[in-house]
Amino acid sequence: MEYLNKLSDMIKGIVTKWKELSKSKKIAYSIIATVAFLTLGTLIYVNLKPKYVVLFSNMSSQDSGAIIAGLDSKKVSYKVQGDSILVEKNQVDKLRMELLSEVPLTEGSHGFELFDNGKVAPTDSEAKIMYQRALSGELERTIKSFGAIEWAKVNLVLPDNSAFVTKPSPATASVTLKLIKGEKLGEDQVKAIVSLVSGSVENLPKENVTIVSDDFKLLTEGIFDKDKDDYTVSSDKQLATKNLIEEEYQKKIMNVLEPIYKDGIRVSVNAKVNFDAKKQDNTVFEQGAIVSEHEVTNETTTGGNTSGGPVDNNLTNNQNATTNNEKNTSKETTKNYEPTKKSETVVSAPGAVERVTASVVVNGQIDAQTRMSITNLVSEAIGFDGNRGDTISVESLAFNSDAKDLAQKNLEDMKAEEAKARKNKLIALGVGGGAALIILIIILSSARRKKAKENLEEEISDFEGIDMVIGETITPKPQELFEPLNLETESQKEHIVKEVKKYAEHKPEQVADIIKSWLADDERG
């Protein structure tokens, strides 16, 4: 209940404010409200209105009648525009699939259902023709299912194959496409269609597939010539890589020398780059585990006779003889190991720098010590390697500065022209501002005079009112505030404006000085 009371109070307040509005405001608000309601209603109608898209087009009258009969039987709303049948967008895919399977069409793509005609044993020629038609129809259906293609026609030429032909002739195919308005096929899409047709037909190379659009453009032209420019492309890439390496070396050298010599130095680097990819197989044999061990021990004995006196060989008594024996032992060990082999493959990436040659030219004369210092700095910057044949050349020559002097002169002339243009612009602005200020003063003076005239007229009317009250008749003396207007001669305002413009045109600098003095007075004030 409280809510209703608040709503009633709100409505009463709106009605009260509406009554307080003037008639012109009521008309304006009414027009605005009407336009807003019409716009909102139009937007709602457009958004809620069902959108119709093409279901079938470019069909014969017989097929169109069959499709319309099918739509009528399904009680589906549709529209006919020219040779196209349109249905609501959210039903187009479902209806297309249902009608293609239910309604027999006299035209269009026929697939392998051609063999479902009840004929038991067609002849070889009939079977070949039916197979060719069926295969073409299946390809047409597949291609027409792509979003950018409205209509497609596939013609196949299948050569005769027999047991007596060892190398059969390849097949050929031509595809005609009609694209949806505003759609285009890129090279990747054309290659996809070529691959689809080539993979669906036996012994059909990609080069034998031709695709033509409805505007007589050969879409397959040049898409198979991918290998003819490989060497050129490779050379361009190698040259770009070489230039990038040389620019990197030059940048390193300039980072070191430019802060010292600024514009008085020039650097050039030439790098020899090897773009050959190398593959090297390395095999290393290592010692493995012991599989057998053989040890041989040898002992040898050596001896000699010694006595305390002379020996009588005729006597058999050897009591005075002594014998000393020595034993020597040696060992030999033989071990057999299981050999192991370790293989590795090393692939060197292309683009290795084999030699760097750097040339440095310094403006003016330099001594031997400075030349050596520059050489050392460049060596460190490029990673000098004498083993690979790197060289550094440092020369001192006088640069030709004619072009630089000419450029400097042109730059100074340009600056002078810009300064002159700024000065002229300032003078023009000053003249224009002065003229505008003078015109404004004249307009204010005229307005003040007009106001004074109106006040005087009001005072005169007041006096006339007093005369009416007291019954006296006083005839005021008419006063001439301005001279009579003469249309043939120019007014005072026009004369002043003309004189100011003439003065500004002949002496702009004096006008600019006057404006500057006014501005200075305003700042001090």
Side-chain angles (χ1 to χ4, degrees):
M1 192 68 180
E2 183 179 356
Y3 176 76
L4 293 176
N5 293 333
K6 290 183 179 179
L7 181 61
S8 177
D9 294 339
M10 185 183 298
I11 294 173
K12 290 180 180 179
I14 294 173
V15 172
T16 302
K17 290 182 178 179
W18 176 261
K19 292 180 179 179
E20 293 176 354
L21 294 175
S22 62
K23 185 177 180 180
S24 59
K25 288 185 178 181
K26 288 181 179 180
I27 295 173
Y29 288 149
S30 299
I31 294 173
I32 293 172
T34 304
V35 173
F37 280 120
L38 290 175
T39 304
L40 181 61
T42 303
L43 293 176
I44 294 174
Y45 174 75
V46 171
N47 291 328
L48 296 180
K49 182 182 178 180
K51 297 181 180 179
Y52 285 82
V53 295
V54 176
L55 177 65
F56 293 107
S57 63
N58 297 327
M59 302 180 70
S60 64
S61 58
Q62 186 177 354
D63 289 341
S64 299
I67 293 296
I68 291 175
L71 294 174
D72 290 335
S73 64
K74 295 178 178 294
K75 297 181 180 180
V76 177
S77 61
Y78 61 89
K79 292 182 179 180
V80 178
Q81 293 182 356
D83 58 353
S84 301
I85 301 175
L86 289 76
V87 296
E88 294 184 11
K89 185 178 181 180
N90 56 354
Q91 297 181 354
V92 61
D93 295 330
K94 179 182 177 182
L95 290 174
R96 185 176 294 164
M97 296 176 66
E98 291 178 352
L99 292 173
L100 285 176
S101 60
E102 297 174 1
V103 179
L105 301 179
T106 60
E107 294 184 356
S109 302
H110 300 277
F112 287 104
E113 67 272 9
L114 290 172
F115 291 92
D116 300 334
N117 56 3
K119 191 171 182 179
V120 178
T123 63
D124 293 342
S125 299
E126 291 176 345
K128 180 181 178 181
I129 295 173
M130 291 172 63
Y131 175 75
Q132 184 172 345
R133 289 180 59 195
L135 187 57
S136 299
E138 293 293 337
L139 288 173
E140 289 172 4
R141 289 178 178 177
T142 305
I143 295 173
K144 284 190 290 187
S145 65
F146 298 155
I149 298 174
E150 181 180 348
W151 178 83
K153 180 65 177 177
V154 178
N155 294 317
L156 299 177
V157 178
L158 304 179
D160 294 330
N161 294 326
S162 64
F164 301 101
V165 179
T166 58
K167 188 176 181 181
S169 301
T172 59
S174 62
V175 182
T176 305
L177 302 178
K178 181 179 181 181
L179 305 180
I180 297 175
K181 189 175 182 180
E183 296 288 343
K184 291 184 179 180
L185 291 182
E187 185 176 342
D188 293 338
Q189 287 78 13
V190 175
K191 288 183 178 179
I193 297 175
V194 171
S195 299
L196 171 66
V197 177
S198 175
S200 302
V201 181
E202 182 181 0
N203 194 18
L204 177 58
K206 295 180 179 180
E207 293 78 7
N208 288 6
V209 180
T210 303
I211 299 179
V212 181
S213 63
D214 55 340
D215 54 353
F216 299 100
K217 288 185 178 180
L218 183 60
L219 302 180
T220 53
E221 184 179 6
I223 64 173
F224 304 110
D225 301 336
K226 61 180 181 179
D227 297 330
K228 66 180 182 179
D229 294 331
D230 283 350
Y231 295 105
T232 303
V233 174
S234 179
S235 300
D236 293 340
K237 290 182 179 179
Q238 291 179 6
L239 182 59
T241 303
K242 182 176 182 295
N243 292 336
L244 185 63
I245 294 174
E246 293 174 350
E247 289 175 1
E248 186 65 24
Y249 279 122
Q250 292 177 5
K251 183 179 179 182
K252 290 180 179 180
I253 296 174
M254 291 301 294
N255 288 340
V256 176
L257 299 180
E258 191 174 16
I260 303 173
Y261 294 97
K262 293 184 180 180
D263 295 334
I265 191 169
R266 297 293 182 269
V267 176
S268 177
V269 177
N270 183 24
K272 181 181 180 182
V273 184
N274 187 357
F275 292 99
D276 297 332
K278 296 181 180 179
K279 181 179 180 181
Q280 182 178 359
D281 296 329
N282 297 328
T283 302
V284 179
F285 293 92
E286 297 181 349
Q287 180 177 316
I290 299 175
V291 296
S292 64
E293 183 176 357
H294 180 65
E295 184 175 340
V296 178
T297 303
N298 296 322
E299 293 184 357
T300 59
T301 303
T302 60
N305 295 328
T306 62
S307 65
V311 178
D312 189 358
N313 293 328
N314 295 323
L315 297 178
T316 59
N317 187 1
N318 295 326
Q319 294 180 356
N320 295 327
T322 61
T323 303
N324 295 326
N325 296 324
E326 294 181 0
K327 293 182 178 181
N328 295 322
T329 304
S330 62
K331 293 182 179 181
E332 294 182 1
T333 302
T334 303
K335 295 181 180 180
N336 296 322
Y337 295 91
E338 178 71 22
T340 59
K341 183 174 65 173
K342 181 179 180 182
S343 300
E344 61 180 6
T345 301
V346 180
V347 179
S348 300
V353 178
E354 293 186 345
R355 187 175 67 251
V356 178
T357 302
S359 301
V360 180
V361 180
V362 182
N363 187 18
Q365 297 295 327
I366 57 174
D367 54 17
Q369 184 177 359
T370 304
R371 190 188 304 271
M372 182 60 65
S373 299
I374 295 174
T375 304
N376 294 334
L377 291 175
V378 175
S379 300
E380 295 295 331
I382 66 174
F384 181 84
D385 187 358
N387 294 328
R388 65 183 183 184
D390 293 353
T391 58
I392 299 174
S393 176
V394 180
E395 300 294 339
S396 59
L397 298 172
F399 289 178
N400 187 354
S401 61
D402 293 343
K404 182 179 179 181
D405 296 341
L406 180 61
Q408 184 67 26
K409 183 178 181 300
N410 293 334
L411 182 61
E412 293 176 355
D413 294 341
M414 188 182 299
K415 290 182 179 180
E417 291 292 335
E418 291 178 354
K420 183 178 180 181
R422 285 196 298 268
K423 182 179 179 181
N424 294 335
K425 185 177 180 181
L426 180 61
I427 293 173
L429 290 175
V431 171
L437 182 62
I438 294 173
I439 293 172
L440 180 62
I441 293 173
I442 295 172
I443 294 173
L444 292 176
S445 300
S446 301
R448 186 176 298 175
R449 292 179 181 177
K450 184 177 180 181
K451 185 67 176 178
K453 180 180 178 181
E454 292 177 354
N455 293 335
L456 182 59
E457 291 177 353
E458 289 179 358
E459 292 177 359
I460 294 173
S461 61
D462 292 339
F463 280 115
E464 291 178 352
I466 294 174
D467 293 339
M468 293 295 294
V469 173
I470 61 176
E472 295 180 357
T473 301
I474 300 175
T475 303
K477 184 179 180 181
Q479 297 182 2
E480 295 291 337
L481 296 179
F482 300 101
E483 296 180 357
L485 181 62
N486 188 2
L487 296 178
E488 296 181 355
T489 60
E490 60 182 2
S491 63
Q492 181 180 4
K493 177 181 176 181
E494 294 176 351
H495 179 71
I496 294 174
V497 172
K498 185 180 296 184
E499 291 297 326
V500 169
K501 288 183 178 179
K502 186 184 297 182
Y503 185 76
E505 290 176 356
H506 290 84
K507 297 182 179 180
E509 296 181 356
Q510 286 80 351
V511 174
D513 294 336
I514 294 172
I515 294 172
K516 290 179 181 179
S517 63
W518 287 351
L519 295 175
D521 294 338
D522 292 339
E523 291 179 357
R524 288 194 296 270

